[in-house]
């Protein structure tokens, strides 16, 4: 766990130097969304890190399956096997649990009720997660074993506050069903200029605050880090995992998850979710506002060796 002393800024090059294994978050670190694509300097940074024989794992809270995300990045010039070694998504971890029927709650009917229908920009990732397995969606919530939370929106429009969702979430809690969330991120940056909008993690928090039970997959929760650790130990050895580091822009997911997993953490300050609160509060007040498990060991301005 990081110390309570002031965290200093370091260059990305010094932070990653001699690391056998780097975990890299996607959105806000090297990826700016569909409209932006790869952030400036990101591709050169991947290449530079690979030159020092470092293994790179992209770990994302995307609900999309790994193959789809790998294809998306490849179209932007970032290639698996050349620029990074493994892609792990929250959606893939969730899908594996669904297919193997290892959800940590009872599902006697093998039916779920979908909250948040098809998003006009992002489609319906839930179709991928539940395709070709025992589970099926039901339009009758009385028949469901659980609620699956899709990408929240109102009439096709992203929301900057959870207030429009409050009443319906409180009503859903009364069903007594567990809500399954495959992306614990509370917000995402959307649009140009970008703005933070409500995502599944915020709906989960709202559900819990109203007394409901939520099952999360993805960062910062253990299963995704346990999967990566198992892969790393198998392919690289235990020492590589002990010296690993995660680079992310989200203190609640990337940094907290890395701290809980016992690896070093580096927060990107200029291109992701931490940017606005750091500008508003200043870095000292921002860090002081964080719970200790959300506090990074290092601060890095951007995922650019050149920056």
């Amino acid at each position: 766990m990081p110390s309570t002393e002031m965290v200093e800024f370091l260059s990305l090059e010094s932070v990653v130097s001699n690391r056998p294994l780097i975990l890299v978050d996607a959105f806000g670190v090297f990826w700016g969304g569909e409209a932006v694509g790869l952030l400036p300097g990101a591709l050169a940074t991947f290449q530079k890190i690979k030159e020092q024989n470092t293994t790179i794992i992209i770990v994302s809270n995307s609900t999309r399956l790994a193959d789809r995300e790998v294809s998306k990045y490849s179209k932007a010039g970032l290639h698996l096997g050349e620029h990074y070694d493994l892609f792990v998504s929250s959606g893939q971890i969730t899908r594996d649990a669904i297919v193997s029927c290892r959800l940590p709650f009872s599902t006697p009917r093998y039916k779920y009720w979908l909250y948040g229908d098809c998003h006009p920009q992002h489609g319906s990732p839930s179709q991928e997660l539940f395709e070709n397995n025992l589970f099926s969606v039901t339009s009758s919530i009385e028949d469901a074993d659980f609620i699956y939370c899709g990408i929240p929106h109102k009439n096709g429009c992203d929301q900057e506050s959870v207030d429009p969702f409050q009443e319906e979430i409180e009503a859903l809690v009364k069903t007594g069903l567990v809500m399954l969330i495959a992306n614990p991120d509370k917000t995402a940056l959307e649009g140009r200029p970008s703005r933070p909008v409500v995502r599944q993690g915020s709906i989960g928090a709202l559900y819990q605050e109203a007394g409901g039970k939520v099952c999360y997959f993805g960062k910062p929760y253990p299963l995704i880090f346990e999967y990566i650790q198992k892969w790393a130990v198998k392919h690289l050895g235990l020492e590589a995992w002990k010296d690993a580091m995660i680079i992310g822009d989200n203190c609640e997911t990337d940094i907290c998850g890395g701290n809980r997993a016992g690896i070093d953490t580096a927060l990107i300050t200029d291109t992701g979710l931490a940017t606005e609160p750091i500008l508003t509060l200043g870095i000292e007040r921002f860090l002081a506002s964080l719970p200790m498990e959300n506090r990074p060991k290092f601060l890095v301005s951007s995922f650019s060796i050149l920056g």
Side-chain angles (χ1 to χ4, degrees), residues 113 115 141 144-149 162 165-181 186 199-216:
W113 189 81
Y115 176 77
I141 198 167
D145 296 311
F146 62 95
I147 298 168
Y148 177 80
C149 183
V162 296
F165 304 99
Q166 181 87 41
E167 186 175 344
E168 58 191 17
I169 291 300
E170 290 178 351
L172 287 177
V173 169
K174 295 177 182 178
T175 65
L177 296 175
V178 175
M179 178 175 282
L180 175 61
I181 290 184
K186 290 184 176 179
R199 285 298 179 254
Q200 292 95 312
S202 288
I203 299 300
L206 202 62
Y207 199 75
Q208 286 180 293
E209 289 167 6
K213 294 182 179 180
V214 179
C215 173
Y216 293 98

Side-chain angles (χ1 to χ4, degrees), residues 26-106:
F27 198 97
V29 176
F30 70 84
W31 186 253
E34 303 294 337
V36 176
L38 292 172
L39 295 176
L43 189 60
T45 299
F46 277 103
Q47 292 172 330
K48 187 74 173 179
I49 295 175
K50 287 303 297 175
E51 287 174 4
Q52 66 180 31
N53 295 319
T54 295
T55 297
I56 301 176
I57 299 176
I58 297 175
V59 52
S60 169
N61 270 354
S62 170
T63 55
R64 296 293 189 183
L65 301 185
D67 287 349
R68 179 185 286 266
E69 293 293 271
V70 167
S71 176
K72 177 181 73 178
Y73 297 137
S74 183
K75 291 176 182 176
L78 185 70
H79 303 296
L80 177 64
E82 179 183 353
H83 300 106
Y84 63 100
D85 301 276
L86 180 68
F87 179 89
V88 180
S89 71
S90 177
Q92 190 68 58
I93 298 296
T94 307
R95 163 78 177 174
D96 292 347
I98 291 169
V99 170
S100 61
C101 297
R102 293 181 183 175
L103 294 174
F105 48 84
S106 177

Side-chain angles (χ1 to χ4, degrees), residues 82-240:
E82 179 183 353
H83 300 106
Y84 63 100
D85 301 276
L86 180 68
F87 179 89
V88 180
S89 71
S90 177
Q92 190 68 58
I93 298 296
T94 307
R95 163 78 177 174
D96 292 347
I98 291 169
V99 170
S100 61
C101 297
R102 293 181 183 175
L103 294 174
F105 48 84
S106 177
T107 58
R109 302 180 183 89
Y110 294 98
K111 292 186 181 294
Y112 67 95
W113 189 81
L114 178 62
Y115 176 77
D117 56 4
C118 183
H119 191 285
Q121 291 177 304
H122 302 284
S124 181
S126 63
Q127 291 180 352
E128 298 176 10
L129 301 188
F130 293 98
E131 190 175 40
N132 298 326
N133 59 66
L134 294 177
F135 292 90
S136 61
V137 66
T138 177
S139 59
S140 174
I141 198 167
E142 291 80 9
D143 295 331
D145 296 311
F146 62 95
I147 298 168
Y148 177 80
C149 183
I151 301 174
H153 61 91
K154 287 294 182 182
N155 299 318
C157 296
D158 288 322
Q159 303 296 307
E160 297 183 43
S161 166
V162 296
D163 292 346
F165 304 99
Q166 181 87 41
E167 186 175 344
E168 58 191 17
I169 291 300
E170 290 178 351
L172 287 177
V173 169
K174 295 177 182 178
T175 65
L177 296 175
V178 175
M179 178 175 282
L180 175 61
I181 290 184
N183 182 350
D185 287 355
K186 290 184 176 179
T187 59
L189 297 176
E190 295 286 354
R192 301 186 75 172
S194 62
R195 73 195 202 286
V197 297
V198 173
R199 285 298 179 254
Q200 292 95 312
S202 288
I203 299 300
L206 202 62
Y207 199 75
Q208 286 180 293
E209 289 167 6
K213 294 182 179 180
V214 179
C215 173
Y216 293 98
F217 286 88
K219 301 170 291 182
Y221 299 96
L223 193 59
I224 194 167
F225 286 93
E226 291 169 0
Y227 177 92
I228 295 169
Q229 180 180 5
K230 184 177 180 180
W231 184 94
V233 171
K234 177 181 178 181
H235 293 276
L236 305 173
L238 181 59
E239 290 304 313

Side-chain angles (χ1 to χ4, degrees), residues 251-252 255 267 285-296:
C251 290
E252 288 188 322
I255 305 305
L267 178 68
R285 287 177 60 200
F286 170 74
L287 291 171
S289 72
L290 299 174
M292 278 305 300
E293 69 173 0
N294 294 2
R295 189 184 177 97

